[in-house]
Amino acid sequence: MSTTDAPAPAPSSVHPVDEIPPVRQLAAFGLQHVLAMYAGAVAVPLIVGGAMKLSPADLAYLITADLLVCGVATLIQCIGFWRFGVRLPIMQGCTFAAVSPMVLIGTTGGGLPAIYGSVIVAGLAIMLLAPVFGKLLRFFPPLVTGTVILIIGVSLLPVAGNWAAGGAGAKDFGEPKNLALAAFVLAVVIGVQRFAPAYLARIAVLIGIAVGLAAAVPFGFTDFSGVGDADWLGISTPFHFGTPTFKASAIVSMLVVALVTMTETTGDLIAVGEMTGRKVEPRSLSDGLRADGLSTVLGGVFNTFPYTAFAQNVGLVGMTRVRSRWVVAAAGGILVLLGLLPKLGSVVAAVPAPVLGGAGLVMFGTVAASGLRTLATVDFNGNNNLTVVAVSVAVGVLPVGVPTVYEKFPDWFQTVMNSGISAGCLTAIVLNLLFNHLPVRASSGSQAVKAS
């Protein structure tokens, strides 16, 4: 009789976020996270380096440096030390919000040293502002968080669509064969989730990518030519491209980016907190943002760019229901290896875009669905909460559907509003304050404050 009683306390003593799966599962789940974010991770150095017309060797250096710092940043965020790291399953990657300002800085005479100087200052600013953002958590009730999570998912879907069609800028973009491969991967992921045993369903995305890659090889989708050319070992050294320079205009534009990324990261951290059952508190939010700042400083030192929580992987957490932060820490370890072993990184880079697109559709759709699930807990009767959601989603999706909508506006405005996540998040916060926090003249409807 004691045999049935003895093991009972064990499951409840460790939160799922803190559970450490067996090594075999850690590796599989971690690789799944790496594959989900790899294309996005290398996109920023490719775009910035390409715009600056860097040599192939310098481009390769940027990518390996990025992967290395991605891994270190992820380890800091997941494992944490002192007041750095939210200690949730959060994957870190270069923020796309910084692309336009960095291209402008790099191509107008400042070069990479000016970019890195502004990145270091932005990282220090994020660390200083982290406690301030932590105190703003009360302005993120389920009405706001659900809306932001929904916008995150919807704004990522075009990324998956571009991958499915062959990758933005590809010569065969939109070819039926690309979409057919993406649809095949999507069908495999769904089939594994529906019919496979539970332990396989948790790595449905990894299985879908592996099967899709196997199917892609005989049809000529893959190009492994870069594997032979890549070095076996590559170590990013501080200030490889020269001593950072600190230009006022570059620093100002990067500080705007810092505010945008802090807003995005806040939404991502709250989303993962909801999905994992460990709600983000003001202190843990500050710790997560402080880790972002430290990672961004490391980015400026080790020849890469500003870092933020990667929304792509938020969907994977929700879809697989694997909530352990140690899984994502394992993914961080894999990224460190990819950054130190360029040949290994080039193998992962050979995964065709349509394969990632098929997996991305279900992952990013899961993020949007998670937002709807959070919104289902909000009271929409007799108040203006529906207006808050409607306008915020519209503002958040606008730059996604019409990317050039703000191109006539100043650069700082574009930096904020071209990110659908930050635009929608700021709109939701302002509208929630307007409708649910400001005093109302009539007593009827004043209970709406409580409902949100």
Side-chain angles (χ1 to χ4, degrees):
M1 72 195 221
S2 60
T3 52
T4 51
D5 295 336
S12 60
S13 61
V14 179
H15 192 282
V17 168
D18 298 319
E19 284 182 352
I20 305 178
V23 174
R24 186 175 58 185
Q25 290 184 9
L26 272 177
F29 294 152
L31 180 58
Q32 188 170 235
H33 272 282
V34 170
L35 292 173
M37 62 85 70
Y38 189 91
V42 301
V44 173
L46 279 174
I47 295 168
V48 175
M52 294 179 65
K53 296 180 170 54
L54 296 182
S55 67
D58 284 342
L59 266 179
Y61 194 96
L62 279 184
I63 290 171
T64 52
D66 175 37
L67 292 174
L68 176 65
V69 180
C70 268
V72 173
T74 299
L75 290 168
I76 293 171
Q77 195 68 276
C78 294
I79 299 174
F81 67 93
W82 190 52
R83 296 299 304 278
F84 291 86
V86 72
R87 295 165 176 84
L88 283 172
I90 294 286
M91 203 84 179
Q92 297 285 102
C94 281
T95 174
F96 284 86
V99 168
S100 297
M102 288 192 301
V103 168
L104 193 64
I105 295 166
T107 55
T108 54
L112 285 172
I115 291 176
Y116 294 140
S118 63
V119 167
I120 290 170
V121 173
L124 293 171
I126 291 172
M127 284 193 280
L128 289 173
L129 289 172
V132 178
F133 259 71
K135 292 174 182 174
L136 299 178
L137 196 59
R138 63 193 182 92
F139 297 115
F140 287 85
L143 173 63
V144 173
T145 58
T147 303
V148 172
I149 296 168
L150 173 61
I151 293 169
I152 290 172
V154 172
S155 64
L156 284 172
L157 284 172
V159 176
N162 277 321
W163 287 345
K171 292 180 181 177
D172 60 350
F173 186 86
E175 289 282 345
K177 63 175 185 176
N178 292 336
L179 294 168
L181 178 58
F184 171 68
V185 172
L186 177 60
V188 171
V189 172
I190 293 172
V192 171
Q193 276 213 302
R194 173 63 182 87
F195 299 108
Y199 71 94
L200 287 178
R202 290 184 167 189
I203 54 169
V205 170
L206 180 59
I207 293 172
I209 291 174
V211 173
L213 180 59
V217 172
F219 290 100
F221 281 93
T222 51
D223 179 12
F224 291 102
S225 59
V227 178
D229 299 333
D231 295 327
W232 278 106
L233 184 65
I235 299 174
S236 179
T237 54
F239 309 127
H240 174 79
F241 294 101
T243 305
T245 58
F246 300 92
K247 298 195 170 186
S249 58
I251 290 170
V252 170
S253 63
M254 205 56 65
L255 287 175
V256 175
V257 170
L259 292 173
V260 173
T261 57
M262 290 180 82
T263 306
E264 288 184 348
T265 296
T266 298
D268 290 332
L269 297 186
I270 292 171
V272 173
E274 297 268 352
M275 291 176 180
T276 58
R278 176 175 280 176
K279 288 192 179 294
V280 173
E281 303 293 337
R283 175 174 173 136
S284 55
L285 174 59
S286 299
D287 293 348
L289 292 171
R290 201 175 284 109
D292 260 17
L294 176 59
S295 302
T296 298
V297 172
L298 290 176
V301 172
F302 286 95
N303 320 294
T304 178
F305 307 115
Y307 284 86
T308 186
F310 238 43
Q312 284 93 322
N313 295 80
V314 174
L316 192 54
V317 172
M319 186 191 135
T320 62
R321 296 187 290 279
V322 177
R323 295 182 278 176
S324 172
R325 61 191 173 107
W326 296 100
V327 163
V328 180
I334 294 171
L335 283 173
V336 170
L337 279 178
L338 293 176
L340 295 174
L341 303 172
K343 196 174 284 290
L344 193 57
S346 64
V347 173
V348 178
V351 176
V355 172
L356 296 172
L361 285 170
V362 66
M363 287 191 304
F364 304 159
T366 300
V367 179
S370 297
L372 292 175
R373 183 175 60 190
T374 301
L375 287 172
T377 66
V378 176
D379 180 14
F380 288 99
N381 295 317
N383 54 44
N384 295 295
N385 287 342
L386 199 61
T387 301
V388 176
V389 176
V391 177
S392 302
V393 171
V395 172
V397 173
L398 187 60
V400 177
V402 190
T404 57
V405 67
Y406 298 122
E407 66 177 8
K408 304 292 186 186
F409 285 76
D411 290 339
W412 67 266
F413 186 89
Q414 291 187 51
T415 301
V416 176
M417 298 303 289
N418 274 341
S419 165
I421 297 171
S422 65
C425 184
L426 291 172
T427 304
I429 293 170
V430 170
L431 291 180
N432 180 55
L433 288 172
L434 176 66
F435 286 116
N436 294 326
H437 287 267
L438 291 181
V440 289
R441 274 180 258 176
S443 59
S444 62
S446 61
Q447 294 302 313
V449 178
K450 311 295 182 194
S452 66

